[in-house]
Amino acid sequence: MLKSLTPISLAAVLAMTAPLAAQETAAEETSGAETAEQAGSTADQLLDLGEPVNAEPGLGQRYSKEKHGDWDLACIKTENETDPCSLLQILSGPQGNPIAEVSLFRIDQQGGQAVAGATVIVPLETLLPAALTISIDGAPAKRYNYSFCNPLGCVAQIGLTQGDIDAFKKGNEAVLSLRPAPAPDQVVEMKLSLSGFTAGYDVVDVVKQ
């Protein structure tokens, strides 16, 4: 099963980037508790604690069909013979918590500029007028507007041209940037790995318009 994107506000994200001095103080206060736990950890090394058995995904659940580098071919379990799939990457915050996701699919082009589409979900309390920007390997960024927000986060539904896809295939890393509403003078950057993108893009579903 895939990691789930859980609701998280940008205030919490900003709090995660607090000065290291405060974090070190907290670490010192817990050092005693860690000493007491060392005996238990020794036992854990000697005993088999077991592993959960992966169960088949239930209807409506998202699962990873296959991996392509840092991307998942993520599918939704349905009653149909073939489940719909998109190319997915979860973006993590400072403490490794999933805070955003990019879900991408190809488009059956009928004369339009967009050859692919993507749904980008970012944290709540994002400054919507500042829009979402995406830059690949330091190239000039493109700006995309947000469509709506729900309890999970704020959503940008973006179209990608053939030029955008070519840049993704050739690139190493994209950076998604946004501004928090509580601190509009700050920029939150989230790194999107492009490792495995080409192989994943070649097998992702094509959505007919």
Side-chain angles (χ1 to χ4, degrees):
M1 299 297 291
L2 291 168
K3 287 192 296 184
S4 297
L5 183 63
T6 54
I8 184 169
S9 69
L10 277 176
V13 174
L14 293 173
M16 293 175 186
T17 60
L20 288 178
Q23 299 178 21
E24 291 172 356
T25 300
E28 292 174 358
E29 293 175 351
T30 57
S31 61
E34 292 175 352
T35 302
E37 293 175 355
Q38 288 178 352
S41 63
T42 302
D44 289 348
Q45 294 173 0
L46 300 175
L47 302 175
D48 187 346
L49 300 178
E51 296 181 359
V53 177
N54 291 330
E56 288 293 322
L59 288 177
Q61 288 188 326
R62 186 168 67 179
Y63 65 94
S64 178
K65 183 177 181 180
E66 56 192 47
K67 291 279 294 185
H68 294 280
D70 292 323
W71 295 81
D72 283 282
L73 186 62
C75 308
I76 302 295
K77 186 65 177 177
T78 66
E79 295 179 338
N80 300 327
E81 183 177 345
T82 303
D83 295 330
C85 303
S86 62
L87 200 57
L88 175 75
Q89 188 172 148
I90 304 293
L91 309 184
S92 299
Q95 300 298 322
N97 298 316
I99 64 169
E101 72 172 43
V102 176
S103 179
L104 185 145
F105 51 89
R106 290 183 291 167
I107 296 174
D108 184 8
Q109 190 178 22
Q110 300 291 337
Q113 294 187 55
V115 300
T119 298
V120 183
I121 305 177
V122 300
L124 295 169
E125 298 183 2
T126 294
L127 185 64
L128 302 183
L132 172 75
T133 62
I134 301 178
S135 173
I136 302 172
D137 289 342
K142 274 192 170 184
R143 179 176 294 174
Y144 302 92
N145 292 321
Y146 297 104
S147 301
F148 60 89
C149 295
N150 59 27
L152 191 61
C154 294
V155 179
Q157 297 175 310
I158 70 177
L160 300 170
T161 66
Q162 187 59 55
D164 296 328
I165 295 300
D166 291 342
F168 269 61
K169 290 182 175 181
K170 296 176 183 178
N172 296 310
E173 182 181 83
V175 175
L176 282 66
S177 301
L178 55 82
R179 290 184 180 273
D185 58 326
Q186 298 186 31
V187 176
V188 174
E189 294 184 343
M190 299 168 289
K191 295 182 179 180
L192 177 73
S193 171
L194 298 177
S195 172
F197 176 81
T198 299
Y201 184 79
D202 289 342
V203 298
V204 76
D205 285 358
V206 179
V207 177
K208 293 183 178 182
Q209 292 180 311

